[in-house]
Amino acid sequence: MLNTIVLIRTDNFDKALTALADLVRYGGMKIRGTPRIIPPALSDWAFEQIVREKPRKKVKAHVVAQIDLPASKAIGRIREIHPPAHIIVIPVGTHVHKEILRMWGSFKELKGFHPPKEVKRSKNIDGEFENLE
């Protein structure tokens, strides 16, 4: 099964590590495998393809990671937690996803990432309006 990919763009790798930890701790996501560092040109290309505009800011840290959630759910959770980086969700089946997976083995592993202990999310967080009448 293919996993959704998140592209993390930020000023330094410490912020990228914090953003990854936030995805796990507060977003309830699982990082599959080891996050990877990708070339800035590929990051800019992926950004342009998904967001449909050129990046306004040049950043120094470009990281990709595979997560266990579908893209739509991941986007909603990222909006809730406001991580310290710009995160773009790359859905399964897009040409960007296929290209990044094709090159995955050539990317350098991000050192220093250890999944944090998970903070339990409210059981009803995804259906918080179910009981409203």
Side-chain angles (χ1 to χ4, degrees), residues 12 67 70 78-79 94 96 100 102 109 114 117 128:
N12 58 58
I67 58 171
I78 290 168
R79 283 184 178 157
T94 61
V96 176
I100 290 175
R102 186 180 69 76
E109 290 187 359
H114 304 288
K117 291 182 181 177
E128 60 187 278

Side-chain angles (χ1 to χ4, degrees), residues 55-125:
R56 294 184 196 139
K57 183 179 177 188
K58 291 288 181 198
V59 294
K60 294 179 181 162
H62 306 268
V63 176
V64 287
Q66 296 184 41
I67 58 171
D68 67 339
L69 291 178
S72 58
K73 218 173 222 185
I75 290 167
R77 290 190 184 177
I78 290 168
R79 283 184 178 157
E80 291 174 3
I81 63 174
H82 305 290
H86 192 182
I87 299 180
I88 295 100
V89 176
I90 302 171
V92 173
T94 61
H95 67 286
V96 176
H97 187 276
K98 290 174 187 167
E99 188 64 21
I100 290 175
L101 276 187
R102 186 180 69 76
M103 298 175 69
W104 192 267
S106 67
F107 301 146
K108 186 177 170 188
E109 290 187 359
L110 178 65
K111 301 291 183 207
F113 177 71
H114 304 288
K117 291 182 181 177
E118 293 182 35
V119 171
K120 291 185 180 178
R121 291 172 48 88
S122 168
K123 290 180 185 178
N124 213 14
I125 193 93

